[in-house]
Amino acid sequence: MSFDEHEALKNDVDALYARVGDFLQDIEADAQRIEDIGQRRRDLATGRFQVAVVGQIKAGKSTLLNASMVRSRALPMDPVPHTAKLTRITQGSGGGFRATFMSREAWAEHRGSLEGASAAENSKGLTRELTEIIRQGDDLVGQHAGKQTALLDLSELPQYVARGGNLMPLVEHVTVYLDSPLLRRADIIDTPGTNDSLRARSRVTEQFVSRADAVVLVLYAGQALSSADRAFISTCLAANGMRSENV
């Protein structure tokens, strides 16, 4: 979906809400129902175009964003797979970020999926990583579950979004605020690798693609469109409505 298509769809939906609101007023409906329609219109007006940046681990997604899109070293970069959480980059002066933690219920569900993955995993290294993530998450629930941090300095970001970060296990998502011309019309979302060894992380990326308005697929410079990239295009992207002329 292009910017223009996105705006046109928002206008169509807003017009529909306006007609519903007028109808509710004509029949003297409950004031709360009328207010609900008004709130939906306000939420729609502030909706942002979402661009998901996806690719295999170490393909350079965060590096690309830092170097050419947001023109900053805001996102952590490392030779090892780094981004473990959805990281939304949006317009905001001064820089900084806020992290939102999972609720107790969300952690319990996520914990169960991690335990299932650990039981099915043959790699001792990955099993140890899963066990450590579960232990850390259990330790964090009491103090942080369901909360959002204050605005934090970007130097602390790796502890919340990076693989191995002390607070990463319980984080649901992070929002980074930067002042960039590119962000005036859209939010950019950095995602975990599509081939992450921990399936739960790559599944987060696959699920988010269905909500994105556009997708940027970052490829390895020395091996463009590998079999893994083609599989991601033909399954995940195609399943979520990407037209063939856009691939």
Side-chain angles (χ1 to χ4, degrees), residues 169-217:
L170 194 63
V171 170
E172 183 176 83
H173 64 269
V174 165
T175 302
V176 174
Y177 301 93
L178 294 174
D179 187 9
S180 169
L182 184 66
L183 299 171
R184 290 173 186 166
R185 297 186 64 186
D187 286 353
I188 299 173
I189 296 84
D190 192 17
T191 62
T194 56
N195 63 334
D196 197 301
S197 56
L198 182 53
R199 184 75 181 99
R201 285 197 287 253
S202 58
R203 191 177 296 118
V204 167
T205 297
E206 294 169 2
Q207 292 171 346
F208 183 78
V209 163
S210 65
R211 309 200 305 271
D213 299 299
V215 176
V216 175
L217 177 60

Side-chain angles (χ1 to χ4, degrees), residues 52-69:
V53 179
V54 305
Q56 295 187 57
I57 54 176
K58 295 196 290 185
K61 299 182 296 296
S62 298
T63 301
L64 173 65
L65 289 172
N66 282 336
S68 61
M69 290 193 179

Side-chain angles (χ1 to χ4, degrees), residues 12-82:
D12 289 344
V13 174
D14 182 65
L16 177 60
Y17 280 148
R19 290 197 295 271
V20 172
D22 291 342
F23 172 73
L24 292 175
Q25 288 183 335
D26 289 342
I27 65 173
E28 299 182 347
D30 181 82
Q32 184 59 53
R33 296 181 66 185
I34 296 174
E35 171 58 24
D36 287 344
I37 291 296
Q39 184 61 53
R40 287 176 182 267
R41 294 189 70 189
R42 290 191 290 274
D43 290 343
L44 185 67
T46 58
R48 300 272 289 167
F49 192 89
Q50 300 186 106
V51 180
V53 179
V54 305
Q56 295 187 57
I57 54 176
K58 295 196 290 185
K61 299 182 296 296
S62 298
T63 301
L64 173 65
L65 289 172
N66 282 336
S68 61
M69 290 193 179
V70 297
R71 300 187 184 280
S72 164
R73 291 185 60 84
L75 303 177
M77 300 181 296
D78 197 87
V80 299
H82 220 114

Side-chain angles (χ1 to χ4, degrees), residues 68-135:
S68 61
M69 290 193 179
V70 297
R71 300 187 184 280
S72 164
R73 291 185 60 84
L75 303 177
M77 300 181 296
D78 197 87
V80 299
H82 220 114
T83 304
K85 297 291 179 177
L86 290 176
T87 305
R88 178 181 296 274
I89 310 165
T90 192
Q91 180 72 23
S93 60
F97 74 95
R98 286 187 173 92
T100 300
F101 293 100
M102 300 178 198
S103 66
R104 290 180 180 274
E105 295 76 15
W107 168 248
E109 182 178 348
H110 184 58
R111 190 185 196 281
S113 67
L114 293 175
E115 288 180 326
S118 180
E121 186 54 53
N122 294 321
S123 167
K124 291 183 179 179
L126 188 53
T127 298
R128 285 195 298 270
E129 181 181 358
L130 286 165
T131 301
E132 180 62 13
I133 289 173
I134 292 171
R135 184 195 66 76

